[in-house]
Amino acid sequence: MSLTLTTMSGRTVTGDQLQWSRSGEMQHSRGPYISAITNRTTNLLIRGAMLFSVGVFLALVLNLLQVQRNITLFPPDVITSIFSSAWWVPLCCGTAAAMIGLLYPCIDSRLGEPHKFKREWSSVMRCVAVFVGINHASAKVDFANNVQLSLTLAALSIGLWWTFDRSRSGFGLGICIAFLGTLATQLLVYNGVFQYTSPDFLYIRSWLPCIFFAGVITMGNIGRQLALYEYKFIQDKSHQD
């Protein structure tokens, strides 16, 4: 009888220990999960801030080229910065850059097609340099006519995608966002916010969609490269746990 009680009590103790150990494991597993969510949110905010800063910087530099060549004209009362650019232009470009840079890796994850082509910072920096060069060509190089300029910039923009991206999702997003950006610019010019000196495509220049496309590909590459560090961080945490 005593052995039975001892055995039963032993089983009871063992059951309690198992229950306690399982609850302990459950609490232990919840800890890293919440930590991973917090770290992912923090990483997302950091990436967004970095992409916003890059977008603002590129907007100031590239818009300075356009203004110096009198390609874009702003009313005198809205030129408020030392870079001769309306204050809302860098903010809009920074916001768009952050959204694009965060959207690209998200789309890659949803499609289950991780982008592995030229995933290193040296390639990203070359992509940024080519993008700046395309903008410089649109502002500095004199072509015989606008059609020749537009075709040249279109070829350079597609070449940028082929050299640094080559993903179908990147090309599709580039086309869609370039179309939306061109439409938004048309509305701004139509409402008199600013204007182009020699519009040849409704109210804007015909090469503007090429610039938007190249910019989308560039910010997408930067966003993917930044997201690569978050992916490595999550993998390292999972291996440690």
Side-chain angles (χ1 to χ4, degrees):
M1 187 69 177
S2 60
L3 289 174
T4 305
L5 290 175
T6 304
T7 304
M8 291 178 61
S9 63
R11 288 178 180 176
T12 304
V13 171
T14 304
D16 292 339
Q17 289 177 350
L18 288 174
Q19 185 177 2
W20 177 83
S21 63
R22 287 177 181 175
S23 63
E25 289 176 359
M26 187 178 298
Q27 292 177 358
H28 177 71
S29 62
R30 285 178 181 175
Y33 177 77
I34 297 174
S35 177
I37 293 297
T38 305
N39 291 329
R40 186 174 299 175
T41 303
T42 303
N43 187 281
L44 189 69
L45 293 175
I46 293 174
R47 285 194 288 136
M50 294 178 68
L51 290 165
F52 178 83
S53 301
V54 173
V56 169
F57 176 76
L58 289 177
L60 291 173
V61 173
L62 300 178
N63 194 63
L64 177 62
L65 293 175
Q66 304 288 337
V67 172
Q68 284 182 342
R69 294 283 291 181
N70 293 324
I71 294 176
T72 55
L73 298 177
F74 292 91
D77 55 341
V78 300
I79 300 179
T80 57
S81 74
I82 59 175
F83 294 97
S84 299
S85 173
W87 63 269
W88 52 268
V89 173
L91 295 181
C92 291
C93 292
T95 303
M99 293 176 62
I100 293 168
L102 295 176
L103 182 62
Y104 261 71
C106 180
I107 295 297
D108 292 338
S109 177
R110 293 292 182 181
L111 294 177
E113 298 178 356
H115 188 260
K116 299 180 180 179
F117 183 71
K118 291 188 177 182
R119 298 301 299 270
E120 62 273 346
W121 278 113
S122 59
S123 177
V124 174
M125 292 299 101
R126 287 195 298 269
C127 182
V128 173
V130 174
F131 172 59
V132 174
I134 293 175
N135 279 269
H136 187 270
S138 68
K140 295 288 187 180
V141 180
D142 295 324
F143 288 83
N145 51 60
N146 289 325
V147 175
Q148 183 180 358
L149 173 61
S150 300
L151 293 176
T152 302
L153 294 182
L156 291 174
S157 300
I158 295 176
L160 182 141
W161 167 79
W162 180 256
T163 304
F164 300 103
D165 192 318
R166 295 191 186 182
S167 65
R168 291 175 295 178
S169 59
F171 187 83
L173 282 174
I175 293 293
C176 293
I177 297 176
F179 172 78
L180 294 176
T182 303
L183 181 62
T185 306
Q186 291 274 16
L187 294 176
L188 291 175
V189 175
Y190 178 77
N191 290 306
V193 178
F194 68 99
Q195 61 180 339
Y196 287 89
T197 53
S198 302
D200 60 322
F201 180 63
L202 297 180
Y203 302 101
I204 63 174
R205 302 295 291 269
S206 57
W207 45 258
L208 189 61
C210 304
I211 301 297
F212 283 145
F213 179 82
V216 171
I217 299 300
T218 302
M219 296 311 305
N221 278 340
I222 297 175
R224 281 168 168 166
Q225 191 66 25
L226 290 174
L228 186 63
Y229 285 91
E230 179 187 13
Y231 177 73
K232 290 181 178 179
F233 173 78
I234 294 175
Q235 276 191 330
D236 293 340
K237 290 289 291 183
S238 63
H239 290 320
Q240 291 175 2
D241 297 333

